[in-house]
Coordinates of all heavy atoms in Angstrom, one line a residue:
M1 N 90.0 73.8 95.4 CA 88.7 73.7 94.7 C 87.7 74.7 95.4 O 86.9 75.2 94.8 CB 88.2 72.2 94.9 CG 89.1 71.4 94.1 SD 88.1 70.1 93.3 CE 89.5 69.0 93.1
I2 N 87.8 74.8 96.7 CA 87.0 75.8 97.5 C 87.2 77.2 96.9 O 86.3 77.9 96.8 CB 87.3 75.7 99.0 CG1 86.8 74.3 99.5 CG2 86.6 76.8 99.8 CD1 87.2 74.1 101.0
D3 N 88.5 77.5 96.7 CA 88.7 78.8 96.1 C 88.2 79.1 94.7 O 87.6 80.0 94.4 CB 90.2 79.2 96.1 CG 91.0 79.1 97.4 OD1 90.2 79.4 98.4 OD2 92.1 78.8 97.5
T4 N 88.3 78.0 93.9 CA 87.6 78.1 92.5 C 86.2 78.3 92.5 O 85.6 79.2 91.9 CB 88.0 76.9 91.8 OG1 89.4 76.6 91.7 CG2 87.5 76.9 90.4
V5 N 85.5 77.5 93.4 CA 84.0 77.7 93.4 C 83.5 78.9 94.1 O 82.5 79.3 93.7 CB 83.3 76.2 93.9 CG1 83.6 75.1 93.0 CG2 83.6 76.1 95.3
A6 N 84.4 79.4 94.9 CA 84.0 80.6 95.6 C 83.9 81.7 94.6 O 83.1 82.6 94.7 CB 85.1 80.9 96.7
G7 N 84.8 81.6 93.5 CA 84.8 82.6 92.5 C 83.4 82.5 91.6 O 83.1 83.5 90.9
Y8 N 82.7 81.5 91.7 CA 81.4 81.3 91.1 C 80.2 81.7 92.1 O 79.1 81.4 91.8 CB 81.2 79.9 90.5 CG 82.3 79.4 89.7 CD1 82.7 78.0 89.9 CD2 82.9 80.2 88.8 CE1 83.7 77.5 89.0 CE2 84.0 79.6 88.0 CZ 84.3 78.4 88.1 OH 85.3 77.9 87.2
G9 N 80.6 82.1 93.3 CA 79.5 82.4 94.2 C 79.0 81.2 95.0 O 78.0 81.3 95.6
V10 N 79.8 80.1 95.0 CA 79.4 78.9 95.7 C 80.2 78.7 97.0 O 81.5 78.8 96.9 CB 79.6 77.7 94.9 CG1 79.3 76.3 95.6 CG2 78.8 77.8 93.5
A11 N 79.5 78.7 98.1 CA 80.3 78.5 99.4 C 80.4 77.1 99.7 O 79.4 76.4 100.0 CB 79.4 79.2 100.5
A12 N 81.6 76.6 99.6 CA 82.0 75.2 99.9 C 82.9 75.1 101.1 O 83.6 76.1 101.4 CB 82.6 74.6 98.6
V13 N 82.8 74.0 101.7 CA 83.6 73.7 102.8 C 84.3 72.3 102.7 O 83.8 71.4 102.1 CB 82.8 73.8 104.2 CG1 82.4 75.2 104.3 CG2 81.7 72.9 104.2
A14 N 85.3 72.1 103.5 CA 85.9 70.8 103.7 C 85.4 70.2 105.1 O 85.0 70.9 105.9 CB 87.5 70.9 103.8
R15 N 85.5 68.9 105.1 CA 85.0 68.2 106.4 C 86.1 67.3 106.8 O 86.6 66.5 106.0 CB 83.7 67.5 106.1 CG 82.5 68.2 105.9 CD 81.3 67.5 105.5 NE 81.2 66.2 106.3 CZ 80.3 65.3 106.1 NH1 79.3 65.5 105.1 NH2 80.2 64.2 106.8
R16 N 86.4 67.3 108.0 CA 87.5 66.4 108.6 C 87.0 64.9 108.6 O 87.8 64.1 108.5 CB 87.9 66.8 110.0 CG 88.7 68.1 110.0 CD 89.3 68.3 111.4 NE 90.1 69.5 111.5 CZ 91.4 69.6 111.1 NH1 91.9 68.6 110.6 NH2 92.0 70.8 111.2
D17 N 85.7 64.8 108.8 CA 85.1 63.4 109.0 C 85.0 62.8 107.6 O 84.7 61.5 107.6 CB 83.9 63.4 109.7 CG 82.8 64.2 109.1 OD1 83.0 65.2 108.4 OD2 81.6 63.8 109.2
A18 N 85.0 63.4 106.6 CA 84.7 62.9 105.3 C 85.5 63.7 104.2 O 85.1 64.7 103.8 CB 83.2 62.9 104.9
P19 N 86.7 63.2 103.8 CA 87.4 63.9 102.8 C 86.6 64.4 101.5 O 85.8 63.6 101.0 CB 88.6 62.9 102.4 CG 88.7 62.0 103.6 CD 87.3 61.9 104.1
G20 N 86.9 65.5 101.2 CA 86.2 66.1 100.0 C 85.8 67.6 100.2 O 86.2 68.2 101.2
V21 N 85.0 68.1 99.3 CA 84.5 69.4 99.3 C 83.0 69.4 99.2 O 82.4 68.6 98.4 CB 85.0 70.3 98.2 CG1 84.4 71.7 98.2 CG2 86.6 70.4 98.4
Y22 N 82.3 70.1 100.2 CA 80.9 70.0 100.3 C 80.1 71.3 100.2 O 80.7 72.4 100.6 CB 80.5 69.3 101.6 CG 81.0 68.0 101.8 CD1 82.4 67.7 102.2 CD2 80.2 66.9 101.6 CE1 82.9 66.4 102.3 CE2 80.7 65.6 101.8 CZ 82.0 65.4 102.0 OH 82.5 64.1 102.0
V23 N 79.0 71.3 99.6 CA 78.0 72.5 99.6 C 76.8 72.1 100.3 O 76.1 71.1 99.7 CB 77.9 72.9 98.2 CG1 76.9 74.1 98.1 CG2 79.2 73.3 97.5
D24 N 76.4 72.7 101.3 CA 75.1 72.4 102.0 C 75.0 70.9 102.3 O 74.0 70.4 102.1 CB 73.9 72.9 101.2 CG 73.9 74.4 101.0 OD1 74.4 75.0 101.9 OD2 73.5 74.9 100.1
G25 N 76.1 70.3 102.7 CA 76.1 68.9 103.1 C 76.1 67.9 101.9 O 76.2 66.7 102.1
R26 N 76.2 68.4 100.7 CA 76.3 67.5 99.5 C 77.7 67.6 99.0 O 78.2 68.6 98.9 CB 75.3 68.0 98.5 CG 73.8 67.9 98.8 CD 72.9 68.5 97.8 NE 73.0 70.0 97.8 CZ 72.6 70.7 96.9 NH1 72.0 70.3 95.9 NH2 72.8 72.1 97.1
K27 N 78.2 66.4 98.6 CA 79.6 66.3 98.1 C 79.7 66.9 96.7 O 79.0 66.4 95.8 CB 80.0 64.9 98.2 CG 81.5 64.7 98.0 CD 82.0 63.4 98.5 CE 83.5 63.4 98.7 NZ 84.0 62.3 99.3
L28 N 80.6 67.7 96.5 CA 80.9 68.3 95.2 C 82.2 67.9 94.6 O 82.3 67.8 93.4 CB 81.0 69.9 95.4 CG 81.3 70.6 94.1 CD1 80.3 70.5 93.0 CD2 81.5 72.2 94.4
C29 N 83.1 67.5 95.5 CA 84.4 67.1 95.1 C 85.0 66.0 95.9 O 84.8 66.0 97.2 CB 85.4 68.3 95.2 SG 87.1 67.9 94.9
A30 N 85.6 64.9 95.3 CA 86.2 63.9 96.1 C 87.8 64.1 95.9 O 88.3 64.6 94.9 CB 85.9 62.6 95.4
I31 N 88.4 63.8 97.0 CA 89.9 63.9 97.1 C 90.5 62.6 97.7 O 89.8 62.1 98.6 CB 90.3 65.1 98.0 CG1 89.7 66.4 97.4 CG2 91.8 65.1 98.2 CD1 89.9 67.6 98.4
G32 N 91.4 62.0 97.1 CA 91.9 60.8 97.6 C 93.4 60.8 97.6 O 94.1 61.4 96.8
L33 N 93.9 59.9 98.5 CA 95.3 59.6 98.6 C 95.5 58.2 99.1 O 94.9 57.7 100.0 CB 96.0 60.6 99.7 CG 97.5 60.3 100.0 CD1 98.3 60.6 98.8 CD2 97.9 61.2 101.2
R34 N 96.5 57.5 98.3 CA 96.8 56.1 98.7 C 98.3 56.0 98.6 O 98.9 56.4 97.7 CB 96.1 55.2 97.8 CG 96.4 53.8 98.1 CD 95.7 52.8 97.2 NE 96.0 51.5 97.5 CZ 95.6 50.4 96.8 NH1 94.8 50.6 95.7 NH2 95.9 49.1 97.2
V35 N 98.9 55.3 99.7 CA 100.2 55.0 99.6 C 100.4 53.5 99.5 O 99.8 52.8 100.4 CB 101.0 55.6 100.9 CG1 102.5 55.2 100.8 CG2 100.8 57.1 100.9
R36 N 101.1 53.0 98.5 CA 101.3 51.6 98.5 C 102.7 51.3 97.8 O 103.1 52.0 96.9 CB 100.3 51.0 97.4 CG 100.3 49.6 97.3 CD 99.1 49.1 96.4 NE 99.2 47.6 96.2 CZ 98.8 47.0 95.2 NH1 98.2 47.6 94.2 NH2 98.9 45.7 95.2
R37 N 103.4 50.4 98.6 CA 104.7 50.1 98.1 C 105.7 51.2 97.9 O 106.3 51.4 96.9 CB 104.7 49.2 96.9 CG 104.0 48.0 97.0 CD 104.1 47.0 95.8 NE 103.3 45.9 96.0 CZ 103.0 45.0 95.1 NH1 103.5 45.1 93.9 NH2 102.3 44.0 95.4
H38 N 105.6 52.1 98.9 CA 106.5 53.4 98.9 C 106.1 54.4 97.8 O 107.0 55.2 97.5 CB 107.9 53.0 98.9 CG 108.3 52.0 99.9 ND1 108.3 52.3 101.3 CD2 108.6 50.6 99.8 CE1 108.7 51.2 101.9 NE2 108.8 50.2 101.1
C39 N 105.0 54.3 97.2 CA 104.5 55.2 96.1 C 103.3 55.8 96.7 O 102.4 55.2 97.2 CB 104.4 54.5 94.8 SG 105.9 53.9 94.1
S40 N 103.1 57.1 96.3 CA 101.8 57.7 96.7 C 101.0 58.0 95.3 O 101.5 58.3 94.4 CB 102.1 59.1 97.3 OG 102.6 60.0 96.5
Y41 N 99.7 57.7 95.5 CA 98.7 58.0 94.4 C 97.7 58.9 94.9 O 97.2 58.7 96.0 CB 98.0 56.7 94.0 CG 99.0 55.5 93.6 CD1 99.7 54.6 94.6 CD2 99.4 55.4 92.3 CE1 100.5 53.7 94.2 CE2 100.3 54.3 92.0 CZ 100.8 53.5 92.9 OH 101.7 52.6 92.5
H42 N 97.4 59.9 94.1 CA 96.5 60.9 94.6 C 95.6 61.3 93.4 O 96.0 61.1 92.3 CB 97.2 62.1 95.2 CG 98.1 62.7 94.2 ND1 99.5 62.2 94.1 CD2 98.1 63.8 93.4 CE1 100.1 63.0 93.2 NE2 99.3 63.8 92.8
G43 N 94.5 62.0 93.7 CA 93.6 62.4 92.8 C 92.5 63.3 93.4 O 92.3 63.3 94.6
L44 N 91.9 64.0 92.4 CA 90.7 64.7 92.9 C 89.7 64.8 91.7 O 90.2 64.6 90.6 CB 91.2 66.3 93.3 CG 92.1 66.9 92.3 CD1 91.3 67.8 91.3 CD2 93.0 67.7 93.1
A45 N 88.5 64.9 92.1 CA 87.5 64.8 91.1 C 86.4 66.0 91.4 O 85.7 65.9 92.5 CB 86.7 63.5 91.0
L46 N 86.3 66.9 90.6 CA 85.3 67.9 90.8 C 84.1 67.8 89.9 O 84.3 67.6 88.7 CB 86.0 69.3 90.5 CG 85.0 70.5 90.5 CD1 84.4 70.8 91.9 CD2 85.8 71.8 90.1
N47 N 82.9 67.5 90.4 CA 81.8 67.3 89.6 C 81.3 68.6 89.0 O 80.9 69.5 89.7 CB 80.6 66.7 90.6 CG 81.0 65.5 91.2 OD1 81.9 64.7 90.7 ND2 80.5 65.2 92.4
V48 N 81.4 68.7 87.7 CA 81.1 69.8 86.9 C 79.7 69.8 86.3 O 78.9 70.6 86.7 CB 82.2 70.1 85.9 CG1 81.8 71.3 84.9 CG2 83.6 70.2 86.4
A49 N 79.4 68.8 85.5 CA 78.2 68.7 84.8 C 78.0 67.3 84.5 O 78.5 66.8 83.5 CB 78.1 69.6 83.6
M50 N 77.2 66.5 85.3 CA 77.2 65.1 85.1 C 75.9 64.6 85.5 O 75.0 65.3 86.1 CB 78.3 64.5 85.9 CG 78.3 64.8 87.5 SD 79.8 64.4 88.3 CE 79.6 62.6 88.3
D51 N 75.6 63.3 85.2 CA 74.4 62.6 85.6 C 74.6 62.1 87.0 O 75.5 61.2 87.2 CB 74.2 61.4 84.6 CG 73.0 60.6 85.0 OD1 72.2 61.0 85.9 OD2 72.8 59.4 84.4
L52 N 73.9 62.7 87.9 CA 74.0 62.4 89.3 C 73.2 61.2 89.7 O 73.4 60.7 90.9 CB 73.7 63.7 90.2 CG 74.5 64.8 90.0 CD1 73.9 66.1 90.6 CD2 76.0 64.7 90.4
A53 N 72.3 60.7 88.9 CA 71.4 59.6 89.2 C 72.2 58.4 89.8 O 71.8 57.7 90.8 CB 70.5 59.2 88.1
P54 N 73.3 58.0 89.2 CA 74.1 56.7 89.7 C 74.4 56.8 91.2 O 74.6 55.8 91.9 CB 75.2 56.6 88.8 CG 74.8 57.2 87.5 CD 73.9 58.4 87.9
F55 N 74.7 58.1 91.7 CA 75.1 58.3 93.0 C 74.0 57.9 94.0 O 74.2 57.6 95.1 CB 75.7 59.7 93.3 CG 76.9 59.9 92.6 CD1 77.0 60.6 91.4 CD2 78.1 59.4 93.2 CE1 78.2 61.0 90.8 CE2 79.3 59.7 92.5 CZ 79.4 60.5 91.4
G56 N 72.7 58.0 93.5 CA 71.6 57.5 94.4 C 71.4 56.1 94.6 O 70.8 55.6 95.6
R57 N 72.3 55.3 93.8 CA 72.3 53.8 94.0 C 73.4 53.3 94.7 O 73.6 52.1 94.9 CB 72.2 53.2 92.6 CG 70.8 53.5 91.9 CD 70.8 52.8 90.6 NE 71.7 53.1 89.5 CZ 71.6 54.1 88.7 NH1 70.5 54.8 88.7 NH2 72.5 54.2 87.8
I58 N 74.3 54.1 95.2 CA 75.5 53.7 95.9 C 75.7 54.5 97.2 O 75.0 55.5 97.4 CB 76.8 53.8 95.1 CG1 77.1 55.3 94.8 CG2 76.8 53.0 93.9 CD1 78.5 55.5 94.2
D59 N 76.6 54.1 98.0 CA 76.9 54.9 99.2 C 78.3 55.7 98.8 O 79.3 55.1 99.0 CB 77.2 54.1 100.5 CG 75.9 53.5 101.0 OD1 74.8 54.0 100.7 OD2 76.0 52.4 101.5
P60 N 78.1 57.0 98.4 CA 79.4 57.6 98.0 C 80.4 57.6 99.0 O 80.2 58.0 100.1 CB 78.9 59.0 97.6 CG 77.4 58.9 97.3 CD 77.0 57.8 98.2
C61 N 81.6 57.2 98.6 CA 82.7 57.2 99.5 C 82.5 56.4 100.8 O 83.0 56.7 101.9 CB 83.2 58.6 99.9 SG 83.6 59.6 98.4
G62 N 81.5 55.5 100.7 CA 81.2 54.6 101.8 C 80.3 55.3 102.9 O 80.0 54.8 103.9
Y63 N 79.6 56.4 102.6 CA 78.8 57.1 103.5 C 77.3 57.0 103.0 O 76.9 57.5 102.0 CB 79.1 58.6 103.6 CG 80.5 58.9 104.2 CD1 81.7 59.0 103.4 CD2 80.6 59.0 105.6 CE1 82.9 59.1 104.1 CE2 81.8 59.2 106.2 CZ 83.0 59.3 105.4 OH 84.1 59.5 106.1
A64 N 76.6 56.2 103.7 CA 75.2 56.0 103.4 C 74.4 57.3 103.4 O 74.5 58.1 104.3 CB 74.6 55.0 104.4
G65 N 73.6 57.5 102.4 CA 72.7 58.7 102.4 C 73.4 60.0 101.9 O 72.7 60.9 101.9
L66 N 74.7 59.9 101.6 CA 75.4 61.2 101.2 C 75.0 61.6 99.9 O 75.0 60.7 98.9 CB 76.9 60.9 101.2 CG 77.8 62.1 100.8 CD1 77.7 63.2 101.8 CD2 79.2 61.6 100.8
E67 N 74.5 62.8 99.7 CA 74.1 63.2 98.5 C 75.3 63.9 97.7 O 76.2 64.4 98.4 CB 72.9 64.3 98.7 CG 71.7 63.9 99.2 CD 70.6 64.9 99.3 OE1 70.5 65.7 98.3 OE2 70.0 64.9 100.3
V68 N 75.2 63.8 96.4 CA 76.3 64.4 95.5 C 75.6 65.5 94.7 O 74.5 65.4 94.4 CB 76.9 63.3 94.7 CG1 77.9 63.8 93.7 CG2 77.4 62.2 95.6
T69 N 76.4 66.5 94.4 CA 76.0 67.6 93.5 C 77.0 67.9 92.5 O 78.2 67.4 92.6 CB 75.6 68.8 94.3 OG1 74.9 69.8 93.6 CG2 76.9 69.6 95.0
D70 N 76.8 68.8 91.6 CA 77.7 69.3 90.7 C 77.5 70.8 90.4 O 76.6 71.4 90.9 CB 77.6 68.6 89.4 CG 76.3 68.6 88.6 OD1 75.4 69.5 89.0 OD2 76.2 68.0 87.6
L71 N 78.5 71.4 89.7 CA 78.4 72.8 89.6 C 77.2 73.2 88.8 O 76.6 74.3 89.1 CB 79.7 73.2 88.8 CG 81.0 73.2 89.6 CD1 82.2 73.6 88.8 CD2 80.9 74.1 90.9
R72 N 76.9 72.4 87.8 CA 75.6 72.8 86.9 C 74.4 73.0 87.9 O 73.8 73.9 87.8 CB 75.4 71.8 85.9 CG 74.2 72.0 85.0 CD 74.0 71.1 83.9 NE 74.0 69.7 84.4 CZ 74.3 68.7 83.7 NH1 74.6 68.8 82.5 NH2 74.3 67.4 84.3
T73 N 74.2 72.1 88.7 CA 73.1 71.9 89.7 C 73.0 73.2 90.6 O 72.0 73.7 90.9 CB 73.0 70.7 90.5 OG1 73.0 69.6 89.6 CG2 71.9 70.6 91.5
L74 N 74.2 73.6 90.9 CA 74.5 74.9 91.8 C 74.4 76.1 91.1 O 74.5 77.2 91.7 CB 75.8 74.7 92.5 CG 76.0 73.5 93.4 CD1 77.4 73.4 94.0 CD2 75.0 73.6 94.6
G75 N 74.1 76.1 89.7 CA 74.1 77.4 88.9 C 75.4 77.9 88.6 O 75.5 79.1 88.2
A76 N 76.5 77.2 88.8 CA 77.8 77.7 88.4 C 78.1 77.2 87.0 O 77.5 76.5 86.4 CB 78.8 77.1 89.5
P77 N 79.2 77.8 86.6 CA 79.6 77.4 85.2 C 79.8 75.9 85.0 O 80.2 75.2 86.0 CB 81.1 78.0 85.0 CG 81.0 79.3 86.0 CD 80.2 78.7 87.1
S78 N 79.3 75.4 83.9 CA 79.4 73.9 83.7 C 80.2 73.5 82.5 O 80.2 72.4 82.1 CB 78.0 73.4 83.6 OG 77.3 74.0 82.5
D79 N 81.0 74.5 81.9 CA 81.9 74.3 80.9 C 83.2 73.7 81.4 O 83.9 74.4 82.1 CB 82.1 75.5 80.0 CG 83.0 75.3 78.9 OD1 82.8 74.6 78.0 OD2 84.2 75.9 79.0
L80 N 83.5 72.5 81.1 CA 84.7 71.8 81.6 C 85.9 72.6 81.3 O 86.9 72.8 82.2 CB 84.8 70.4 81.1 CG 85.8 69.5 81.7 CD1 85.8 69.5 83.2 CD2 85.9 68.2 81.0
A81 N 86.1 73.2 80.1 CA 87.4 73.9 79.8 C 87.5 75.1 80.6 O 88.6 75.4 81.2 CB 87.3 74.2 78.3
R82 N 86.4 75.8 80.9 CA 86.4 77.0 81.7 C 86.8 76.6 83.2 O 87.6 77.3 83.8 CB 85.1 77.8 81.7 CG 85.1 79.0 82.7 CD 83.9 79.8 82.8 NE 84.1 80.7 83.8 CZ 83.1 81.5 84.2 NH1 82.0 81.4 83.7 NH2 83.3 82.3 85.1
V83 N 86.1 75.6 83.7 CA 86.4 75.3 85.1 C 87.8 74.8 85.3 O 88.5 75.1 86.2 CB 85.4 74.1 85.6 CG1 85.7 73.6 86.9 CG2 84.0 74.7 85.6
R84 N 88.3 74.0 84.3 CA 89.8 73.6 84.3 C 90.6 74.7 84.4 O 91.6 74.8 85.1 CB 90.0 72.6 83.1 CG 91.5 72.2 83.1 CD 91.8 71.4 81.8 NE 90.9 70.3 81.6 CZ 90.1 70.2 80.4 NH1 90.3 71.2 79.5 NH2 89.3 69.2 80.2
A85 N 90.4 75.7 83.5 CA 91.2 76.9 83.4 C 91.2 77.8 84.7 O 92.1 78.3 85.1 CB 90.8 77.8 82.2
D86 N 90.0 77.8 85.3 CA 89.8 78.5 86.5 C 90.5 77.8 87.7 O 91.0 78.4 88.7 CB 88.4 78.7 86.9 CG 87.7 79.7 86.0 OD1 88.4 80.4 85.3 OD2 86.4 79.7 85.8
L87 N 90.4 76.5 87.7 CA 90.9 75.7 88.8 C 92.5 75.7 88.8 O 93.1 75.7 89.9 CB 90.4 74.2 88.7 CG 91.0 73.2 89.7 CD1 90.6 73.6 91.1 CD2 90.5 71.8 89.4
A88 N 93.1 75.6 87.6 CA 94.6 75.4 87.6 C 95.4 76.5 88.5 O 96.3 76.0 89.2 CB 95.0 75.5 86.1
P89 N 95.2 77.7 88.4 CA 96.0 78.6 89.1 C 95.7 78.5 90.6 O 96.7 78.6 91.4 CB 95.6 80.0 88.6 CG 94.3 79.9 87.8 CD 94.3 78.5 87.5
H90 N 94.5 78.2 91.0 CA 94.3 78.0 92.5 C 95.0 76.7 93.0 O 95.5 76.8 94.1 CB 92.7 77.8 92.8 CG 92.0 79.1 92.6 ND1 92.0 80.1 93.4 CD2 91.1 79.4 91.5 CE1 91.3 81.1 93.0 NE2 90.6 80.7 91.9
L91 N 94.9 75.6 92.1 CA 95.7 74.5 92.6 C 97.1 74.6 92.7 O 97.8 74.2 93.6 CB 95.2 73.3 91.6 CG 95.8 72.0 91.9 CD1 95.2 71.5 93.3 CD2 95.2 71.0 90.9
T92 N 97.7 75.2 91.6 CA 99.1 75.5 91.7 C 99.4 76.3 92.9 O 100.5 76.0 93.5 CB 99.5 76.3 90.4 OG1 99.1 75.4 89.2 CG2 101.0 76.5 90.3
K93 N 98.7 77.3 93.2 CA 99.1 78.3 94.3 C 99.0 77.4 95.6 O 100.0 77.5 96.4 CB 98.1 79.4 94.4 CG 98.3 80.2 95.6 CD 97.3 81.4 95.6 CE 97.5 82.2 96.9 NZ 96.4 83.1 97.1
R94 N 98.0 76.6 95.8 CA 97.9 75.8 97.1 C 99.0 74.7 97.1 O 99.5 74.5 98.3 CB 96.5 75.1 97.2 CG 95.4 76.1 97.3 CD 95.4 76.6 98.7 NE 94.4 77.5 98.9 CZ 94.0 78.0 100.1 NH1 94.7 77.7 101.2 NH2 93.0 78.9 100.2
L95 N 99.4 74.1 96.1 CA 100.5 73.1 96.1 C 101.8 73.8 96.4 O 102.7 73.1 97.0 CB 100.5 72.3 94.8 CG 99.3 71.4 94.5 CD1 99.4 70.9 93.1 CD2 99.3 70.4 95.5
R96 N 101.9 75.0 96.0 CA 103.2 75.7 96.4 C 103.4 76.0 97.8 O 104.4 76.1 98.4 CB 103.3 77.0 95.6 CG 103.8 76.7 94.2 CD 104.0 78.1 93.5 NE 104.1 77.9 92.0 CZ 103.7 78.6 91.1 NH1 103.1 79.7 91.5 NH2 103.8 78.4 89.9
L97 N 102.2 76.0 98.6 CA 102.2 76.3 100.0 C 102.6 75.1 100.8 O 102.9 75.3 102.0 CB 100.8 76.8 100.4 CG 100.3 78.1 99.8 CD1 98.9 78.5 100.2 CD2 101.3 79.3 100.2
C98 N 102.6 73.9 100.2 CA 102.8 72.7 100.9 C 104.3 72.5 101.2 O 105.1 72.9 100.4 CB 102.3 71.5 100.2 SG 100.5 71.5 100.1

């Protein structure tokens, strides 16, 4: 995801203390992994163009005061189809490295 948003001119980083992708301390992407009964469940959520107001009423990912952002707010492309197409090759490349 960091590679994808870099292509839009957005400097994003990962944090060891809080899984996800961040831009200027605001969460742009959530990443999760759960192992239960010998099965792994994983997912990722990249905020593209959404109503961010509900995040102001919760503690995102259990972190009080954590702000959330999306690509539209950052001035990046907000068309879901485009972002999906741009993300796919980066994700595929990174998964092959594992």
Side-chain angles (χ1 to χ4, degrees):
M1 297 216 201
I2 292 171
D3 295 338
T4 301
V5 301
Y8 306 143
V10 175
V13 297
R15 289 177 39 186
R16 288 193 180 277
D17 64 322
V21 175
Y22 297 82
V23 176
D24 296 327
R26 296 173 290 165
K27 192 163 197 167
L28 175 63
C29 170
I31 301 171
L33 173 67
R34 178 179 182 183
V35 178
R36 184 175 181 209
R37 296 183 184 174
H38 308 289
C39 294
S40 64
Y41 302 87
H42 55 278
L44 46 95
L46 173 60
N47 300 332
V48 176
M50 51 193 295
D51 177 7
L52 299 172
F55 290 104
R57 298 187 294 271
I58 65 169
D59 294 332
C61 303
Y63 293 92
L66 179 63
E67 291 183 47
V68 177
T69 192
D70 64 4
L71 290 176
R72 177 178 55 200
T73 301
L74 297 170
S78 59
D79 177 68
L80 187 57
R82 175 177 174 190
V83 174
R84 182 184 307 123
D86 292 343
L87 175 63
H90 291 289
L91 186 58
T92 301
K93 178 182 175 187
R94 292 291 180 169
L95 289 174
R96 285 188 188 143
L97 295 177
C98 295

